[in-house]
């Protein structure tokens, strides 16, 4: 086993750990922003996985998959952030209305 194989195996293990921890945060995250960040972390970890797979298999097709996944992940994060912002604004407006009625 060469040094490169050892490093790639360690890289895969760390990526799997990162995805697992992000999955836990996605499941138990108390707030919507926690879940959005966890989902973004999972996307980044999967992109890293694709990069490691491209190195191990010496096939550039994995890099195309990683690029598309990174773009989709970015757009999903932006969309979820806009949604979370709207939820927070509505909640604040509702709290202001309740304060004024009291």
């Amino acid at each position: 086993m060469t040094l490169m194989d050892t490093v790639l195996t360690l890289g895969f293990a760390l990526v799997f750990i990162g995805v697992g921890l992000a999955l836990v945060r996605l499941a138990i995250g108390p707030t919507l922003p926690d879940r959005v960040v966890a989902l973004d972390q999972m996307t980044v970890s999967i992109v890293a996985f694709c990069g490691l797979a491209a190195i191990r298999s010496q096939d550039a097709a994995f890099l195309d998959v990683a690029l598309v996944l990174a773009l989709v992940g970015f757009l999903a994060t932006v969309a979820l952030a806009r949604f979370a912002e709207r939820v927070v604004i509505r909640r604040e407006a509702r709290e202001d209305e309740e304060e004024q009625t009291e």
Side-chain angles (χ1 to χ4, degrees), residues 13-66:
L14 291 174
V15 166
F16 284 133
I17 290 170
V19 169
L21 292 174
L23 185 63
V24 169
R25 175 51 65 190
L26 184 66
I28 65 170
T31 64
L32 181 62
D34 288 332
R35 289 185 171 99
V36 171
V37 170
L39 192 61
D40 189 45
Q41 173 60 40
M42 288 177 68
T43 304
V44 169
S45 295
I46 295 170
V47 168
F49 177 84
C50 290
L52 290 170
I55 293 170
R56 175 161 282 175
S57 69
Q58 296 179 351
D59 186 10
F62 286 109
L63 297 177
D64 295 336
V65 172

